[in-house]
Amino acid sequence: MLLSSLYGPDRAAAVVAPDATLSRHELLERASGVAAAIAGRDVVAVDATPTAATIVAITGALLAGVPVVPIPPDAGHVERAHLLTDSGATLVPDAPPRGDLPPEPDPNRPALVLYTSGTTGPPKGVVVSRAAIAADLDGLAAAWQWTEDDTLVHGLPLYHVHGLVLGVLGALRTGSRLVHTGKPTPRGYAEAGGTLYFGVPTVWSRIVAAPAEARALRHARLLVSGSAALPVPVYEGLEELTGQAPVERYGMTETLITISARADGERRAGHVGTPIAGVESRLVDEHGAPAPADGNTIGHLQIRGATLLDGYLRDGAVVPPDLTGGWYPTGDVATIGPDGWHRIVGRASTDLIKTGGYRVGAGEVEDALLAHPAVREAAVIGTPHDDLGEQITAFVVAESPVEARTLIDFVAGRLAAHKRPRVVRLVGELPRNPMGKVQKSRLR
Ligand code: MLC
Ligand code: AMP
């Protein structure tokens, strides 16, 4: 069973969130009501606010075997409309307080449709099966010695792999308690008194900048960082203030979390560890030929195993990804040492930006800017930022006078707020090569 702990003995305060505290059986009962209300639907959507209500709704969909699309609660009207139209999902309705427990759905059924950015165009729906999630969570539970004795704490959004698959379904599968802090603030983390903490690097960086809150994490068993590269100074700051180095792990929506340091093993700043059980990795060169795992050669990272996506949702069908011999090309470049340890060097494409742990496609932000009547041309890049890792920076050629602030708010109104540029530079023209293509490297 995917969410196996729910069927175990009841447990008080199994889920603690800003709006409600639920015991295991309260969650199961309320989710069974949702399952009854949506039984037989093809796909449902949930406004994924960071609440127990969201956890109930998503759990209900999983009980019913109905794939669920979590919608960012702050998605602007353009992004929201795209997610609903593209997936064909309808929102989970108000549900009765309980219903009959449906039989466990087939493990090969899709569980989630997670929308994520490509380099161009609107986000794509990544279809993830129940079996992939189960394999991933079991691999991570083994790597992190994650059990029902843990109390997991985080405040991450509930519409991405990190906050939802690991941060909610992981707790419901292992049986650990879950405390969701609403927002991932240093104070919320310090006050929650957990054993296991999840955060993106921006969260850990803010915790290191708040030493009193960081010291409160001394009692934790394991601090886990992922979704973007953890800067070495943040790693070292955590080690000094909390008495333990963080465990770093790597993954992506399409493969789930595949590479990690171990709870009982070495931790290495700037490195993300070795593949979890059920996952293989390799490097290839630009022609697709295998590249050596010698710790020096930088190659394109590929992943194979039980945690891979079923495919991308297109016109109601699931289109499998382009795999060669089962290998999924992550789009990340990395080194692998002779000891199997991975170092993520960066993304192959400059058009995928990681800001605060969110993946944002430059093309989607450019399209949003171009929809403003005052914008003639737009080019978006990620520029280095101490807190966010990268910040979204837009270069705009204006058609008519316009304030940077106006354009920032315009994008925030159309897309999720984290996709808004933090900086807009109004320029006379964009640097182009002789073919007319914008040279983003020159914008940096
Ligand atoms: C500011 N705000 C605006 C605005 N200016 N809203 C609209 N228009 C404007 N012009 C508001 C926002 O709505 C929000 O309000 C507030 O400002 C701050 O929002 P923010 O920009 O998101 O905050 P920030 O401080 O930058 O957030 C940092 C953060 C966040 C760490 C909290 O980036 C975060 O939660 N990151 C987690 C990303 C994540 O989970 N990634 C996992 C992907 S899965 P208000 O009121 O709402 O605060 C993956 C796989 C893997 O990568 O490996 O895990
Ligand atoms: P997403 O699609 O939002 O799941 O983002 C996945 C991407 O996040 C990966 O392809 C990587 O570029 C990046 N990523 C995730 N974890 C790490 C990490 N520990 N170190 C560096 N990059 C990471």
Side-chain angles (χ1 to χ4, degrees):
M1 276 184 264
L2 180 57
L3 307 178
S4 43
S5 84
L6 290 179
Y7 303 87
D10 199 13
R11 178 178 209 185
V15 171
V16 179
D19 59 323
T21 293
L22 299 173
S23 77
R24 228 178 236 171
H25 287 178
E26 282 168 340
L27 171 57
L28 186 63
E29 192 169 79
R30 285 185 51 190
S32 70
V34 173
I38 63 171
R41 286 209 203 169
D42 289 336
V43 52
V44 291
V46 169
D47 278 313
T49 53
T51 56
T54 296
I55 296 174
V56 167
I58 291 176
T59 303
L62 292 172
L63 291 181
V66 177
V68 56
V69 184
I71 310 266
D74 68 341
H77 62 100
V78 172
E79 183 169 349
R80 186 183 172 84
H82 168 68
L83 266 50
L84 290 170
T85 316
D86 188 73
S87 65
T90 46
L91 286 166
V92 167
D94 285 338
R98 67 186 63 83
D100 291 334
L101 259 187
E104 177 73 5
D106 185 314
N108 294 316
R109 274 192 64 75
L112 301 172
V113 184
L114 298 173
Y115 275 82
T116 192
S117 302
T119 51
T120 58
K124 295 173 290 184
V126 175
V127 180
V128 181
S129 72
R130 305 171 72 89
I133 292 173
D136 198 50
L137 294 175
D138 292 349
L140 293 172
W144 300 339
Q145 301 182 340
W146 181 5
T147 70
E148 63 176 4
D149 296 334
D150 278 306
T151 295
L152 169 64
V153 177
H154 72 91
L156 297 168
L158 298 186
Y159 48 89
H160 283 312
V161 166
H162 199 163
L164 177 58
V165 177
L166 273 58
V168 173
L169 307 185
L172 302 184
R173 187 165 174 86
T174 60
S176 73
R177 285 206 166 88
L178 167 62
V179 178
H180 195 286
T181 59
K183 291 239 151 202
T185 58
R187 169 178 282 195
Y189 277 39
E191 287 175 351
T195 63
L196 176 61
Y197 283 82
F198 292 167
V200 298
T202 301
V203 170
W204 293 121
S205 155
R206 291 177 185 184
I207 287 173
V208 166
E213 283 77 8
R215 283 193 199 96
L217 303 185
R218 284 192 162 264
H219 305 291
R221 185 178 70 74
L222 204 66
L223 312 177
V224 184
S225 180
S227 301
L230 184 67
V232 173
V234 178
Y235 175 101
E236 289 170 347
L238 275 177
E239 191 168 24
E240 189 186 316
L241 290 165
T242 69
Q244 62 173 305
V247 158
E248 213 184 334
R249 97 296 181 282
Y250 159 88
M252 67 190 305
T253 307
E254 290 89 337
T255 64
L256 303 181
I257 307 310
T258 49
I259 299 172
S260 183
R262 301 295 189 272
D264 62 354
E266 197 195 339
R267 301 173 199 179
R268 240 184 252 176
H271 292 73
V272 297
T274 57
I276 63 168
V279 169
E280 295 171 275
S281 66
R282 70 170 187 181
L283 299 179
V284 297
D285 66 17
E286 56 276 26
H287 310 294
D294 57 12
N296 292 314
T297 306
I298 296 174
H300 295 268
L301 180 63
Q302 300 192 330
I303 296 288
R304 182 160 78 176
T307 64
L308 260 51
L309 74 165
D310 284 355
Y312 296 96
L313 200 61
R314 208 171 294 151
D315 300 326
V318 182
V319 180
D322 230 342
L323 304 180
T324 319
W327 291 101
Y328 180 84
T330 62
D332 290 305
V333 287
T335 65
I336 305 178
D339 56 2
W341 273 68
H342 292 58
R343 183 169 68 86
I344 307 298
V345 176
R347 294 233 28 121
S349 165
T350 52
D351 282 336
L352 275 189
I353 301 164
K354 264 276 160 158
T355 178
Y358 287 112
R359 166 169 150 189
V360 180
E364 188 186 10
V365 182
E366 288 160 2
D367 290 347
L369 284 164
L370 288 168
H372 192 283
V375 174
R376 186 189 308 158
E377 294 175 68
V380 166
I381 60 172
T383 52
H385 189 271
D386 282 346
D387 178 49
L388 297 169
E390 288 185 292
Q391 75 174 349
I392 300 174
T393 301
F395 293 80
V396 167
V397 180
E399 189 72 53
S400 54
V402 63
E403 297 276 334
R405 184 82 256 157
T406 306
L407 296 179
I408 292 170
D409 292 342
F410 181 74
V411 175
R414 295 174 74 86
L415 310 177
H418 66 261
K419 294 181 177 172
R420 72 190 186 278
R422 305 285 171 134
V423 177
V424 172
R425 297 248 151 81
L426 292 157
V427 294
E429 59 180 338
L430 297 174
R432 293 183 186 274
N433 68 13
M435 311 292 291
K437 189 172 170 343
V438 176
Q439 290 176 298
K440 291 200 171 176
S441 58
R442 286 180 56 199
L443 290 172
R444 261 187 211 95

